[in-house]
Amino acid sequence: MIRAVVERIFAPAVILVSRLWYWQKFTLIMILFTIPIGNALFSFTAQIDRSIAFSEKEISGVRYLFPVGILLQDLQQHRDMASVYLRGDTSFLPLLEEKENKIKEDLVLINVKDQEFGKELRTTESLSAIQKKWASLEKNYAQLTLKESVRQHTELISDVFILIRHIGDISNLILDPDLDTYYLMNTVVNTLPDLSENLSQAREFVLSIDDPKKIDAAAADRRVIINYSKIALIADEKIKRDTQVAFGQTNSLVAVLDNPLKDMSVSVRNFASLLDTFVNTNKVEMPLLEYYTFSTAVIDKNFSLRDSLSWSLHDLLHHRVERFQSDKQIIVGITILSYILILYVFIGFYILVARTVRNFENIAKQLISGKAAEVIVLSNDELGKVGESFNTIGKELIASNNEILGRAQELQKKSEELEHLNKFMINREVKMSELKDEIVKLKSTSPPDLEQGERLDGHGRMKS
């Protein structure tokens, strides 16, 4: 029952295959085999290519963020220097001019990156707006009030933050699938820039206090300073937690990032401790220039850690792309090698079948002509069993043919003997007939008296 069902199911395939030559059968099998494997290979390589493109776009984002981060750092410093300068401390004027030249250099570097990645990351318009705002601010900040200068600087810095977030979104960094690179990205794109702005605002806020020697305990200044200190400590803990997750995924990061991380954490806590001292004593107990230098060093540690994290993130992404490319080459290589081996085996199988079939044909012709022949069995499979059966049949045919030939020879010999006997009997009959004729002639020519008086005996002799 099951066999009949199976035969009915495969009947169309049997009919199709039965109408094809062996090379056509093998070609059909190769095509049917190639379709799913080729489709799987295409899908796999397409997925790898998408992953490579995804990671390469992340790398573009990281490379673009390098100069943007430097610009953020310099703009924050310029805002704080301008605050001190607008309060009447002209000693900051040379520092301001130096920082303005540095910002111009930053914008040149960013424009280079924008030419390389701007179309891909869609940053050109935002960058152009930042440059216009900076050009206006650079030209007019000296004529602004302290409050307006801080506002315009902070607004420009906010635009830089928006650009950083935009790059993180468009470059796929925010969607990174791996824990190590994701947490490094989040620290570089979000946490560290936010921390740097909090520290910078804390630096600017203290510098802009009307009377640093006396912080009114009842005023909002005290609460603002406390808030800056708490935010800095919270950000420090978050950075530690995120980097520890990344370290857990990639141990090699520890050797590169552990020291910069510890240095930044110590400096942030020292800065928070200094702010707490200001709150507890209700006054700024150090000269403003010294405070600016100290707080700037703390923020520089923050940006130094950001650079280290950015390079580590860049390297991880680059290694990921190399790994994807290597996986792609390996899979394609294995597939090609597999196809070559399959084709090699198929061709070998076809040659074996074709050789065996030709051998069958030649042996059949020899058997038909009566010659003894045997199929050379080339395999141990079903076709080899057919060859063995063919040899058995051939031997039986030869034996039967030899028996028939032996009987034919025996019959031929007996036929010759019969023919010889037949000829002998015919000759005897002829001689008897001739003898009878002689007797008749003798009777007709003998004398009457002999005919009357004498008689011949049975042997032809005269009797009286």
Side-chain angles (χ1 to χ4, degrees):
M1 179 63 182
I2 296 176
R3 180 177 180 181
V5 172
V6 172
E7 289 180 352
R8 283 198 299 270
I9 293 174
F10 288 94
V14 173
I15 294 173
L16 174 62
V17 173
S18 65
R19 296 179 179 178
L20 300 176
W21 292 88
Y22 267 110
W23 69 267
Q24 294 173 325
K25 296 174 184 177
F26 289 134
T27 302
L28 177 61
I29 293 173
M30 282 297 296
I31 292 174
L32 295 177
F33 179 78
T34 300
I35 290 174
I37 299 299
N39 181 67
L41 178 63
F42 175 80
S43 299
F44 181 80
T45 54
Q47 179 61 41
I48 289 183
D49 288 338
R50 286 193 293 270
S51 299
I52 291 174
F54 186 96
S55 297
E56 286 179 340
K57 197 170 184 180
E58 288 185 274
I59 293 174
S60 299
V62 173
R63 293 174 64 184
Y64 199 119
L65 286 173
F66 274 113
V68 175
I70 297 173
L71 174 65
L72 175 64
Q73 182 180 11
D74 291 336
L75 285 175
Q76 290 171 343
Q77 290 181 6
H78 189 274
R79 176 185 58 191
D80 301 344
M81 291 177 185
S83 296
V84 178
Y85 173 74
L86 291 174
R87 289 187 58 196
D89 190 344
T90 57
S91 64
F92 273 79
L93 184 58
L95 295 175
L96 276 169
E97 293 175 350
E98 182 181 349
K99 189 58 61 177
E100 288 164 10
N101 292 329
K102 183 64 169 58
I103 291 173
K104 291 178 182 178
E105 294 176 1
D106 296 342
L107 290 172
V108 171
L109 292 176
I110 295 174
N111 274 287
V112 172
K113 294 300 179 183
D114 192 74
Q115 291 177 2
E116 186 176 359
F117 306 116
K119 185 176 180 181
E120 180 183 16
L121 301 178
R122 304 197 295 272
T123 55
T124 303
E125 185 176 350
S126 298
L127 177 60
S128 178
I130 290 172
Q131 288 175 313
K132 289 179 181 179
K133 283 188 176 181
W134 165 248
S136 175
L137 182 60
E138 180 188 15
K139 182 179 180 180
N140 301 317
Y141 78 89
Q143 287 77 41
L144 299 176
T145 63
L146 175 59
K147 185 176 181 180
E148 183 63 19
S149 173
V150 171
R151 187 192 68 80
Q152 291 192 21
H153 274 90
T154 302
E155 182 179 321
L156 178 58
I157 291 171
S158 296
D159 290 343
V160 176
F161 267 90
I162 292 173
L163 178 60
I164 292 174
R165 303 291 195 270
H166 172 80
I167 293 171
D169 292 339
I170 299 299
S171 66
N172 301 323
L173 282 168
I174 198 68
L175 301 174
D176 192 274
D178 296 336
L179 286 177
D180 51 0
T181 47
Y182 174 81
Y183 279 104
L184 291 183
M185 173 283 306
N186 187 56
T187 304
V188 169
V189 174
N190 297 313
T191 310
L192 282 174
D194 290 342
L195 175 58
S196 72
E197 179 61 9
N198 177 75
L199 297 175
S200 178
Q201 288 184 9
R203 176 179 60 189
E204 188 279 328
F205 184 80
V206 172
L207 293 174
S208 64
I209 294 175
D210 293 335
D211 185 5
K213 297 299 183 179
K214 183 178 181 181
I215 300 176
D216 189 355
D221 294 351
R222 181 184 175 90
R223 293 192 297 272
V224 172
I225 295 175
I226 294 173
N227 190 50
Y228 284 138
S229 176
K230 288 182 177 179
I231 292 175
L233 294 175
I234 291 172
D236 178 58
E237 290 299 324
K238 186 176 188 308
I239 291 170
K240 287 181 180 179
R241 188 191 70 83
D242 289 352
T243 51
Q244 287 302 317
V245 174
F247 291 168
Q249 297 296 313
T250 306
N251 292 329
S252 60
L253 292 174
V254 178
V256 178
L257 300 177
D258 192 49
N259 287 333
L261 181 63
K262 289 179 179 178
D263 290 343
M264 193 278 300
S265 179
V266 170
S267 64
V268 167
R269 292 186 175 277
N270 289 338
F271 184 69
S273 178
L274 179 62
L275 293 179
D276 292 340
T277 301
F278 294 163
V279 171
N280 294 332
T281 60
N282 294 324
K283 62 181 179 179
V284 179
E285 296 180 333
M286 63 172 59
L288 293 182
L289 182 58
E290 183 180 346
Y291 170 74
Y292 174 82
T293 302
F294 175 80
S295 57
T296 299
V298 173
I299 298 173
D300 288 346
K301 291 283 187 181
N302 175 84
F303 279 98
S304 177
L305 176 61
R306 178 186 178 277
D307 290 342
S308 298
L309 290 173
S310 297
W311 280 115
S312 296
L313 176 59
H314 179 277
D315 291 343
L316 287 176
L317 293 172
H318 183 69
H319 291 327
R320 182 195 296 173
V321 170
E322 290 182 338
R323 186 174 67 251
F324 283 143
Q325 291 173 339
S326 177
D327 291 344
K328 179 181 177 181
Q329 292 174 355
I330 291 173
I331 293 299
V332 172
I334 291 175
T335 303
I336 292 175
L337 180 61
S338 298
Y339 262 91
I340 292 174
L341 292 176
I342 291 170
L343 185 61
Y344 181 80
V345 173
F346 263 50
I347 293 175
F349 183 43
Y350 173 76
I351 292 174
L352 174 64
V353 172
R355 185 182 300 168
T356 303
V357 171
R358 286 195 301 269
N359 198 5
F360 284 166
E361 184 179 1
N362 294 332
I363 297 302
K365 291 179 180 179
Q366 294 182 34
L367 290 176
I368 291 173
S369 64
K371 297 179 180 179
E374 185 176 347
V375 175
I376 300 175
V377 179
L378 301 175
S379 62
N380 296 323
D381 54 10
E382 292 82 355
L383 202 57
K385 297 299 181 181
V386 173
E388 293 176 357
S389 300
F390 197 87
N391 286 335
T392 302
I393 294 173
K395 290 178 182 179
E396 292 180 356
L397 287 175
I398 293 298
S400 178
N401 186 52
N402 291 335
E403 183 179 354
I404 292 173
L405 288 175
R407 292 181 179 180
Q409 290 175 356
E410 184 178 351
L411 290 174
Q412 179 68 25
K413 182 178 179 181
K414 291 182 178 180
S415 176
E416 290 175 355
E417 292 177 353
L418 289 174
E419 184 178 358
H420 179 72
L421 180 60
N422 186 43
K423 288 181 179 179
F424 174 77
M425 294 301 294
I426 291 174
N427 290 335
R428 184 173 180 279
E429 290 292 331
V430 170
K431 289 180 179 181
M432 290 297 293
S433 177
E434 290 176 352
L435 182 59
K436 288 180 180 180
D437 290 341
E438 286 292 330
I439 293 173
V440 171
K441 287 180 181 180
L442 289 174
K443 286 182 177 182
S444 62
T445 58
S446 62
D449 54 351
L450 181 59
E451 185 177 332
Q452 291 178 358
E454 294 181 352
R455 295 173 184 250
L456 296 173
D457 58 15
H459 297 286
R461 292 176 293 187
M462 295 293 292
K463 68 178 180 176
S464 54

